[in-house]
Amino acid sequence: MRAKVSYFVTAAVLVVYFVLVGSRGVMLIRHGTLLTVTFGVAVLILPVIGVWFLWKNTQFVRNANALAAELDAEGGLPVDELARTPGGRIDRDSADAVFAQRRAETEDSPGDWRCWFRLAVAYHDARDTPRARKAMQKAIALHDGTA
């Protein structure tokens, strides 16, 4: 729940920022000189890119959560069997062992979105966020039939 709240707060702050930057771009365009119109258009491009990025990330999170809910309904969510340090962080060796298991499972069934989802969780537990995201994107694509 804390992650959802922080995501929505961050998204709201970004939207406010996009509105402020966009208004400055419009003000520059209204000034009417060649230089200010050029700068105004350039400034307006930043919020457009930001809104697109925020939209794509929100879509990704929504799709990943839908997969998690479906997998949970099937009883297929990965069990948290990882050892933890006294501070509560995941033990690296434990995460690597589970990762090896999930990777082998995915290599045996490369067309199963469930395996890719569990591999994404294992990547995340091993603190490899870029690969976790790619694996989750693969799971979403396989689930939607677009892979």
Side-chain angles (χ1 to χ4, degrees):
M1 184 65 180
R2 195 173 101 197
K4 282 184 180 182
V5 170
S6 64
Y7 184 80
F8 284 117
V9 168
T10 304
V13 169
L14 282 172
V15 167
V16 169
Y17 173 75
F18 297 151
V19 169
L20 289 174
V21 170
S23 69
R24 298 297 183 222
V26 170
M27 286 172 51
L28 284 169
I29 291 171
R30 283 186 182 163
H31 196 268
T33 67
L34 178 63
L35 184 64
T36 60
V37 169
T38 304
F39 279 141
V41 170
V43 167
L44 283 177
I45 290 172
L46 294 174
V48 169
I49 292 170
V51 166
W52 174 83
F53 183 75
L54 184 62
W55 173 250
K56 293 306 270 184
N57 278 317
T58 303
Q59 264 186 324
F60 173 77
V61 169
R62 207 173 58 237
N63 290 336
N65 285 338
L67 291 188
E70 186 174 334
L71 202 54
D72 187 29
E74 296 174 357
L77 276 179
V79 179
D80 187 3
E81 56 197 8
L82 300 169
R84 303 204 182 262
T85 65
R89 294 188 67 146
I90 295 172
D91 179 57
R92 183 74 171 193
D93 293 332
S94 176
D96 288 343
V98 171
F99 171 76
Q101 176 187 354
R102 299 290 184 226
R103 185 179 59 199
E105 177 185 299
T106 306
E107 287 171 353
D108 290 342
S109 303
D112 186 7
W113 68 266
R114 293 160 186 86
C115 293
W116 282 98
F117 183 94
R118 288 188 282 268
L119 181 65
V121 172
Y123 270 126
H124 183 266
D125 291 340
R127 298 186 196 116
D128 191 349
T129 305
R131 287 191 178 131
R133 189 171 180 89
K134 290 227 183 269
M136 187 60 73
Q137 287 170 340
K138 177 79 171 180
I140 292 168
L142 286 169
H143 182 266
D144 295 342
T146 58

